[in-house]
Amino acid sequence: MRTSIKKNFAYRSILTISTYLMSFVTFPYVSHKLGVERIGLVNFVDNTVSYFLLFSTMGIAMLGVREVSSVKDDLESRSKIFSNLLGLNFLFTVAIMGIYLLCILFIPRLHHYGELFYIGAAKIFFTMFIMEWYFTGIEDFRYITIRSIVIKVLYVASVFVFVRSPRDYTVYFILTTGVVVVNALVNTVYARRSVKLYPMDIFSLKYLKQNIVLGIYSIMTSMYLTFNVMFLGFVCSNTEVGYYTTAFKLYSVLLGFFGAFTNVMLPRMSTLVAEGDNLQFQQLVEKSFSAVCTFSIPIILCSIVLAPDIIHVLSGPGYEGAIVPMRIIMPALLFVGIAQILAMQVLMPMKKDWVMLFASVIGATISIVINIVLVMRLQSIGSAVVLLCSEVVVTGIYVVYTFRCGIISLPFSQICKSVVCSIPSMAVCIACRHLIHIHFIVLAVSLPVSIVLWLLLSLLHRNAIVNELIYGIIRYKK
């Protein structure tokens, strides 16, 4: 039975809000307790572990959602696909675990922090049992949300209890890795209710080619995300990593909402493609574009102005080096939002994997070149430039391909309207920064005023997304 997209998005939004709300609670606390150098070290280790994770999971996350959603009402077919993909993930994980352990032994930079990297091995191993792709494919977003919130609450409580001084950075990383372990154990038990494991299908290589193609896409994409931090950690200090990851924090929070939407839409769009319902497919894509343009542009403009205040409130003094990187990173929000729609809602359901792969290879190549040229000189600022340039290029490739093939068109008029509605809010933020000299009060005054002003102008310009949002809230209250 097909569940409501609005309900699914509501669950994902609740999950995203709760996740980043908890992050906003713990991040300032951990930043103060550990300091920028220790935060940078933990982020360096965690991002390096995540890079190995890309090779162990390859394209399972995307492939699993697409394949499971196409047969989600057929228990036998669903179980066979589940068994195929779980077995394939196991083979890749075992191989990568061996390489990972050898790297810890023979690469001096990794061996120096061997204790943390050995802890990170648990994250690589247990990730294959999280199987989030399966629950997303069957659109069980209610379970995903409830489980994640409960585990995150326990994690936050543990951080406040056990992380007390800079010496506790190892404990902090154990707790972070523990979230993956607990999620994996709970999911393994819960999955048995809705799917069977067919031993004969576990080591089938049916999806090997598709997994490799989508895996290379994920790895290439990571060159300007995960690899970006790892490279910065190798050539610069842990402090610079701390600046960059702090600047990246708000961007990742906001991007999480777009990710929540595309995660909900991918299984539904795959189902529509399988059913040949082109009309609803086009309507949903157009609504997605409108939503991204409506919300990302005012966020980008206001966050660029308020970057010093946001950084100070989130992380406190000593993180001023994150202000410029944050201002460079934030415009990527619009480009990534458009890219996610084109990749996850259009190209992926239509099985245009090669287009995604081509774009990611070009983006990764540009990332490597800029990393080599800029990062050693500009440090965290250079890493921010890498992210922005790579995302712009990848989005450009997607746009050119979809335009030339007549698959979809971008709402340029919506972009222009959103800019017009956002400029007054940006002016309010600039005025508050000049008139008020206390960071928290700047945010407390400028953000509410900017939001109200933006809503009024959007309603005057008859923005369909804002109208629907306001009327939906009114109906809910009634």
Side-chain angles (χ1 to χ4, degrees):
M1 184 176 179
R2 189 176 295 183
T3 53
S4 165
I5 288 179
K6 289 183 178 180
K7 183 178 289 187
N8 287 342
F9 181 59
Y11 279 126
R12 293 299 297 194
S13 296
I14 291 170
L15 175 58
T16 301
I17 291 170
S18 62
T19 298
Y20 290 116
L21 181 62
M22 293 175 193
S23 180
F24 275 130
V25 171
T26 57
F27 186 72
Y29 175 79
V30 172
S31 297
H32 283 84
K33 293 296 181 180
L34 299 186
V36 64
E37 184 177 358
R38 296 299 187 189
I39 281 288
L41 171 59
V42 172
N43 282 317
F44 166 67
V45 174
D46 194 40
N47 277 273
T48 304
V49 170
S50 296
Y51 198 68
F52 281 92
L53 262 176
L54 287 169
F55 289 89
S56 64
T57 57
M58 293 297 283
I60 292 292
M62 293 177 288
L63 179 61
V65 174
R66 184 173 72 188
E67 299 302 321
V68 170
S69 64
S70 64
V71 295
K72 64 182 178 182
D73 297 322
D74 184 338
L75 176 60
E76 184 175 357
S77 298
R78 188 172 75 233
S79 297
K80 286 184 177 180
I81 291 173
F82 173 82
S83 302
N84 288 165
L85 296 178
L86 185 62
L88 194 60
N89 196 3
F90 176 79
L91 291 175
F92 276 92
T93 298
V94 170
I96 295 305
M97 276 290 288
I99 297 172
Y100 175 79
L101 294 174
L102 289 174
C103 288
I104 296 174
L105 291 173
F106 296 106
I107 298 178
R109 175 73 167 164
L110 305 189
H111 185 70
H112 183 68
Y113 302 114
E115 182 183 14
L116 291 176
F117 280 104
Y118 284 124
I119 294 168
K123 186 174 183 179
I124 296 175
F125 180 78
F126 281 95
T127 293
M128 67 175 162
F129 296 110
I130 289 183
M131 305 174 294
E132 205 82 329
W133 48 267
Y134 170 71
F135 299 108
T136 302
I138 63 174
E139 299 190 47
D140 194 354
F141 294 103
R142 181 176 182 273
Y143 162 71
I144 293 173
T145 301
I146 294 173
R147 179 215 67 213
S148 299
I149 290 176
V150 170
I151 294 174
K152 281 287 187 181
V153 168
L154 294 175
Y155 165 74
V156 170
S158 299
V159 167
F160 280 103
V161 171
F162 296 109
V163 179
R164 296 297 184 89
S165 70
R167 296 189 302 273
D168 295 328
Y169 67 94
T170 303
V171 176
Y172 175 60
F173 190 56
I174 290 173
L175 293 174
T176 303
T177 303
V179 171
V180 175
V181 176
V182 175
N183 270 306
L185 295 175
V186 173
N187 281 0
T188 301
V189 173
Y190 185 79
R192 296 172 62 186
R193 300 184 179 187
S194 59
V195 71
K196 297 178 181 179
L197 188 65
Y198 292 166
M200 296 299 294
D201 292 307
I202 287 178
F203 297 112
S204 169
L205 300 180
K206 177 181 177 181
Y207 295 102
L208 179 62
K209 181 179 178 181
Q210 296 177 63
N211 187 44
I212 290 175
V213 170
L214 291 174
I216 295 173
Y217 160 75
S218 298
I219 292 166
M220 293 297 102
T221 301
S222 75
M223 296 299 289
Y224 40 93
L225 294 173
T226 306
F227 178 80
N228 214 13
V229 179
M230 190 169 72
F231 183 83
L232 181 63
F234 271 107
V235 302
C236 300
S237 66
N238 292 331
T239 301
E240 287 297 324
V241 177
Y243 290 150
Y244 177 76
T245 51
T246 300
F248 188 80
K249 197 71 179 178
L250 179 64
Y251 168 80
S252 64
V253 169
L254 298 170
L255 196 59
F257 287 96
F258 295 141
F261 188 64
T262 51
N263 284 336
V264 166
M265 295 298 291
L266 175 56
R268 183 58 52 85
M269 302 301 267
S270 297
T271 302
L272 292 175
V273 169
E275 295 174 350
D277 192 344
N278 293 326
L279 179 60
Q280 190 176 359
F281 181 87
Q282 293 283 342
Q283 289 174 344
L284 290 177
V285 171
E286 289 174 5
K287 182 173 284 190
S288 299
F289 274 133
S290 183
V292 166
C293 296
T294 296
F295 295 112
S296 64
I297 291 174
I299 290 172
I300 290 169
L301 295 178
C302 292
S303 61
I304 288 174
V305 175
L306 299 174
D309 309 286
I310 293 170
I311 293 293
H312 190 276
V313 170
L314 283 181
S315 304
Y319 287 82
E320 289 79 12
I323 295 172
V324 174
M326 178 180 170
R327 284 174 165 165
I328 296 171
I329 288 172
M330 289 308 298
L333 195 65
L334 174 62
F335 295 99
V336 177
I338 293 172
Q340 282 193 354
I341 293 171
L342 293 175
M344 296 294 104
Q345 297 185 38
V346 179
L347 299 174
M348 183 73 178
M350 296 177 69
K351 298 191 175 182
K352 301 291 185 181
D353 301 346
W354 67 270
V355 180
M356 297 165 60
L357 177 60
F358 173 76
S360 66
V361 169
I362 299 299
T365 303
I366 290 172
S367 168
I368 293 171
V369 172
I370 300 177
N371 263 308
I372 294 171
V373 173
L374 290 184
V375 171
M376 290 188 69
R377 288 186 293 173
L378 299 181
Q379 303 181 87
S380 57
I381 295 175
S383 295
V385 173
V386 170
L387 176 65
L388 178 60
C389 292
S390 300
E391 296 290 10
V392 169
V393 170
V394 170
T395 304
I397 293 172
Y398 289 157
V399 170
V400 169
Y401 176 80
T402 52
F403 269 27
R404 291 184 63 182
C405 296
I407 298 174
I408 205 75
S409 59
L410 284 178
F412 290 109
S413 61
Q414 181 63 48
I415 294 175
C416 294
K417 288 180 180 179
S418 184
V419 171
V420 170
C421 293
S422 303
I423 288 176
S425 296
M426 184 182 181
V428 168
C429 293
I430 294 172
C432 288
R433 288 223 71 236
H434 282 285
L435 297 174
I436 304 171
H437 303 292
I438 300 174
H439 296 291
F440 178 78
I441 297 178
V442 170
L443 297 180
V445 174
S446 63
L447 291 180
V449 175
S450 298
I451 291 171
V452 171
L453 183 59
W454 171 79
L455 283 172
L456 291 174
L457 290 172
S458 297
L459 289 171
L460 287 174
H461 282 83
R462 298 179 181 179
N463 185 298
I465 296 296
V466 175
N467 285 342
E468 187 174 343
L469 175 66
I470 297 297
Y471 294 146
I473 294 172
I474 294 172
R475 286 196 302 269
Y476 177 77
K477 286 186 175 181
K478 288 183 178 179

